[in-house]
Amino acid sequence: MVFLLGLPLMEPEVKIENVVASVTLDQKIDLKKILEKFPHTEYDPKRFPGLIYKLKEPKTAILVFSSGKMVVTGAKAEREAYEAVKTIVKSLMSKKILAEPRVEVKIQNVVASGNLFGEIDLEEAAMKLDFSMYEPEEFPGLIYQMREPKVVILLFASGKIVCTGARKESEVFVAVDILRSELKEKELIIY
């Protein structure tokens, strides 16, 4: 535990909010067959070319396209995104909609929210942090484009943050640690 003026310094709080993964199968998918065999799905090709398949466990929504591509959203961890893919592929195989597909999964975006438990002077931060932008008339937060790991962090004066663009959960935690160190080093955060 770190201390500041004799008081314990709270560790940043970080929570994964959404993991988005893309899926590529080596075969086409008959969306009408899925709609027939899985009544809980939604498909209206006039409005959107994909079918929406919602899972209760893990709680995710999967967009399924006839091309054999899918997009998983709503997972709260990488593991859940992979679990969702495994579950839907198994379900589609059980109804003979898919035949032993080769499945390729790629994490596209990890979004997290957090709290640094300190107040941030956003005007000062905009001047001292490279690759940052702050226009309070447009948006109440500072937009910080971190180079390594390559993520975008929204910082708010309250110490709350949103991190997006990570390709792995671990990148989020590394980015938050780097940000916190940078803010302390440049005296931009008050605890």
Side-chain angles (χ1 to χ4, degrees), residues 35-108:
L35 191 61
E36 286 169 20
K37 305 214 181 210
F38 297 93
H40 65 281
T41 60
E42 298 170 36
Y43 180 50
D44 183 354
K46 290 179 191 117
R47 290 184 52 218
F48 184 70
L51 175 135
I52 302 168
Y53 190 112
K54 292 182 182 174
L55 289 177
K56 285 188 175 141
E57 197 53 46
K59 191 171 189 234
T60 51
I62 304 161
L63 303 176
V64 183
F65 299 93
S66 59
S67 64
K69 303 235 186 248
M70 298 183 202
V71 177
V72 177
T73 63
K76 300 293 185 192
E78 288 175 62
R79 171 188 47 77
E80 284 186 8
Y82 286 107
E83 216 174 287
V85 172
K86 192 173 170 183
T87 301
I88 191 171
V89 168
K90 207 173 183 180
S91 293
L92 297 178
M93 284 174 58
S94 75
K95 300 289 185 184
K96 309 266 187 269
I97 295 167
L98 291 178
E100 296 290 328
R102 191 173 56 78
V103 182
E104 188 182 308
V105 181
K106 187 175 179 187
I107 302 298
Q108 296 294 338

Side-chain angles (χ1 to χ4, degrees), residues 13 22 33 54 61 64 73 87 89 117 121 131 134 140 178 189:
E13 176 183 279
S22 62
K33 255 191 196 171
K54 292 182 182 174
V64 183
T73 63
T87 301
V89 168
F117 298 106
D121 181 339
F131 311 109
Y134 179 54
I178 290 169
I189 190 165

Side-chain angles (χ1 to χ4, degrees), residues 1-10 191:
M1 185 175 286
V2 181
F3 287 84
L4 180 70
L5 303 173
L7 300 170
L9 193 59
M10 294 189 72
Y191 296 101

Side-chain angles (χ1 to χ4, degrees), residues 124-142:
E124 190 75 18
M127 290 188 280
K128 291 184 178 179
L129 293 175
D130 292 335
F131 311 109
S132 66
M133 184 172 69
Y134 179 54
E135 295 181 26
E137 317 78 45
E138 305 271 330
F139 182 69
L142 177 138

